Structures are given as C-alpha cells and as structure tokens.
Amino acid sequence: MRQPDPPLTGNAKADPALSMQRALALLMLFVVGTINFVDRQLLSVLVEPIRAELHLSDTQFGLLTGLAFALFYAGMGVPVAILADRWNRVRLIALSCLVWSAFTALTGRVSSFTQLALIRFGVGAGEAGGTAPSLSVVSDLFPPHRRPFAVAIFQLNGPFGVVVGSAFGAWAAAHIGWRGAFLAMGLTDFR
C-alpha cells in the first residue's frame, strides 16, 4: 500500500517560495476543476441542437444529464478516492483529466443515443477522478489552519466552471456548432 504524499511543512510567512508553490498548486487544481465543470456543463447548454440532430426524447436527454451521469460519477468516485490513497494523486488527477477530455472530444463524434450515453459515462468516470484527489492534494499542501480557505478557493471551480461553460456553450452554438464545441473543449483540455 502506497504511503500518502508527505505534506509540505513550514511557515508560509517565513518561506515565500513555499507560499508561492502552494498558491500555484492551488491555482492549477482550480483550473483543472473548472475544466471539469465546463466539460460537464456543455451538454446541458447545447441540449436543443443535440436533441434536434440525434432525435432524442426528453427522457433520453434527462437520463444523459441527470440520473445516469450522477450515478456513474458517484459510483466511480469511491473507487477513485480509494485509489488516490494508494497512488500518486497528481498523476491520478492528470490521468483523469486526460480521460474526461478525450471523452469530451469524442462527444462531438456521436451519432446515436447509445453512443452519446457511453461517451458521457466515460466523461463521468474521468471527472470522478478530479475532486477527491484534488482535495487530498490541497490537504497535503496546506497546514490545518489554512486548509478551510484553500478548500473554499478550490471549490469555487464549480460555480466558475458553470459560468464559463454556459458562456462558451452559447458562443459555440452560434459559431461552431455543438459538435465543434465538444471537439474544441476536449482538445483544449489537453494543452
């Protein structure tokens, strides 16, 4: 069994380099978390053009954006959190981002409800590896008296990602279409 990553120790006021390292790591985790929410938000924003092209019912689309995604995301969250306790968390976050980004890009290539459902399950599986390991990294980086603030900053990625995803989705619907939006977002995530 892998031992947890050792926490960075030291007084942030006495060591400005350590404070900068912590802030940069928190910023990177925030950006990854934001991308997670943007990728998730796109499907909801682009519902009408997707439904029109793929001839999806309200029930089918509800399953894609609601119950099925939530169950798969939550179901994968527990094993991924267990894996985060046994493996390098930073690598797990990177791998998870790679997985959900690839599946996000593939969303732009689907031609049926079944394909879309399977691809969205892949997105959910990848996204499940984002939050738990990220919170663990934040816990490793910040001393107990600074953790609540760091976790609060990290958790702002959700609302921020919803805003960015909504704005990008609306722009994409008007300029590059729903398929282009998923391809662009998935490929952008790889950078």
Side-chain angles (χ1 to χ4, degrees):
M1 183 164 113
R2 182 183 103 47
Q3 294 297 317
D5 299 329
L8 297 176
T9 58
N11 185 344
K13 292 180 182 175
D15 189 352
L18 183 59
S19 292
M20 183 58 80
Q21 181 183 15
R22 288 175 174 156
L24 182 59
L26 183 58
L27 175 64
M28 292 172 68
L29 291 171
F30 176 84
V31 169
V32 169
T34 298
I35 291 169
N36 181 315
F37 274 89
V38 170
D39 288 355
R40 192 178 318 170
Q41 186 69 17
L42 274 181
L43 191 65
S44 297
V45 173
L46 299 170
V47 61
E48 290 307 322
I50 296 169
R51 258 187 3 180
E53 185 177 329
L54 298 181
H55 308 290
L56 302 177
S57 69
D58 289 341
T59 301
Q60 288 173 315
F61 215 87
L63 286 172
L64 290 172
T65 58
L67 182 63
F69 179 85
L71 287 176
F72 203 79
Y73 178 81
M76 290 299 296
V78 173
V80 169
I82 291 169
L83 182 59
D85 288 337
R86 292 169 170 74
W87 198 51
N88 183 296
R89 293 175 187 105
V90 173
R91 288 185 181 145
L92 181 57
I93 295 165
L95 179 63
S96 296
C97 188
L98 181 70
V99 168
W100 88 62
S101 297
F103 279 104
T104 296
L106 287 172
T107 303
R109 307 291 295 161
V110 301
S111 60
S112 70
F113 169 75
T114 302
Q115 288 176 352
L116 185 55
L118 292 172
I119 295 295
R120 295 311 289 178
F121 290 157
V123 172
E127 288 181 355
T131 302
S134 293
L135 287 170
S136 186
V137 169
V138 169
S139 180
D140 287 346
L141 289 174
F142 289 87
H145 70 281
R146 297 295 298 157
R147 273 184 211 139
F149 176 76
V151 168
I153 294 299
F154 171 74
Q155 293 288 23
L156 286 173
N157 68 55
F160 190 72
V162 168
V163 169
V164 172
S166 297
F168 174 71
W171 175 86
H175 293 91
I176 59 175
W178 73 267
R179 291 181 183 281
F182 283 103
L183 289 169
M185 193 64 219
L187 295 176
T188 300
D189 294 352
F190 285 114
R191 292 182 186 208

